[in-house]
Amino acid sequence: MLELIIGNRNYSSWSLRAWLYLRASEVPFAESRIPMFTGDWEESALRYSPAGRVPVLIDGDLRVWDSMAIIEHVRELHPGGVGWPEAAALRAHARSVSAEMHSGFLAMRGELPLNIRARRSPPPMSPTCTAQVRRLCEIWEDARKSYGGRGPWLFGELSIADVLFAPVALRFVSYGVPLAGGAAEFVEAVQGLASVKEWCALAEAESERISFIDDLVPADDAPLTLG
């Protein structure tokens, strides 16, 4: 059986992506958790991959790290799992925004770290972070406007793109990012997914606390605007 090594559910967005893909694809797997920033977590992670990061997929003697590599490896093992849209134009669009997600949005990642338990105003956001949040909403709005008639997800049916953007949707819930239209529809779909609900419940039950995430000071009590 495959084994997935993950970090704290409350904080590890990339762990959520790999885990969610396996669950959404109905692939059986075992899981082990390494709480980040506690004890010898770095040494523990290095025992599983030379990158010293989570997630890591263990497939017999094989170690696969990085969420996208894990997703592609599992797709090869289980071709019936969650994939890309079937239509060529949709597939190209989905791959483009997914690659943008995988390699970009660094300011948003740093300034709005995943914290599933949180319900709070955001910390001060740089102009770069604000622009990236606006761009994410634009991606979701554009996809829903173009393909929403096909189903509740960005490109109609659940795809790899939805898996990659799911942790961002949960970030926006945590920090009260104002949403409307297609962006709000996507976040609602993510929150309604049974596997996401399960992950969030397990995150709520975790006891670890990462101070540099949990102690971020909100900018103020005023609602966040992206105008």
Side-chain angles (χ1 to χ4, degrees):
M1 178 179 287
L2 300 173
E3 181 180 5
L4 184 67
I5 312 301
I6 62 172
N8 315 60
R9 294 180 181 86
N10 192 57
Y11 306 108
S12 182
S13 59
W14 290 107
S15 294
L16 170 54
R17 289 179 174 97
W19 185 93
L20 181 57
Y21 182 80
L22 285 159
R23 290 300 300 272
S25 298
E26 299 182 349
V27 174
F29 67 99
E31 65 181 69
S32 298
R33 193 176 72 101
I34 299 175
M36 300 182 296
F37 303 102
T38 60
D40 62 348
W41 73 274
E42 292 174 307
E43 291 79 3
S44 297
L46 281 168
R47 286 198 290 269
Y48 293 105
S49 88
R53 292 181 171 186
V54 290
V56 180
L57 184 72
I58 301 176
D59 179 8
D61 293 331
L62 183 64
R63 302 291 186 270
V64 185
W65 60 96
D66 187 280
S67 294
M68 280 303 297
I70 290 170
I71 287 170
E72 292 298 337
H73 180 70
V74 174
R75 284 191 70 211
E76 291 175 355
L77 297 176
H78 300 273
V82 174
W84 299 106
E86 290 187 9
L90 275 70
R91 190 164 61 249
H93 190 170
R95 282 174 167 158
S96 294
V97 296
S98 295
E100 185 178 354
M101 173 71 260
H102 190 256
S103 63
F105 302 102
L106 298 183
M108 184 278 299
R109 299 177 199 273
E111 296 177 34
L112 301 179
L114 184 66
N115 188 352
I116 289 173
R117 292 192 296 258
R119 291 295 183 273
R120 46 164 291 175
S121 298
M125 289 167 50
S126 68
T128 300
C129 180
T130 301
Q132 290 177 1
V133 169
R134 191 179 297 117
R135 170 59 184 152
L136 285 157
C137 292
E138 180 183 82
I139 289 171
W140 299 343
E141 177 67 30
D142 182 45
R144 291 294 302 149
K145 183 177 179 180
S146 299
Y147 314 115
R150 296 171 176 264
W153 297 98
L154 292 176
F155 297 91
E157 295 183 356
L158 183 69
S159 74
I160 292 171
D162 301 297
V163 171
L164 292 177
F165 282 108
V168 184
L170 297 180
R171 274 181 165 95
F172 285 10
V173 172
S174 293
Y175 296 104
V177 174
L179 301 168
E185 292 172 0
F186 174 64
V187 172
E188 183 178 359
V190 170
Q191 289 185 283
L193 197 61
S195 50
V196 170
K197 291 181 179 179
E198 179 186 354
W199 178 277
C200 291
L202 292 169
E204 292 278 357
E206 288 180 333
S207 60
E208 298 88 15
R209 187 176 185 278
I210 298 179
S211 59
F212 66 82
I213 294 178
D214 288 304
D215 295 341
L216 287 172
V217 178
D220 52 46
D221 293 328
L224 175 65
T225 60
L226 300 175

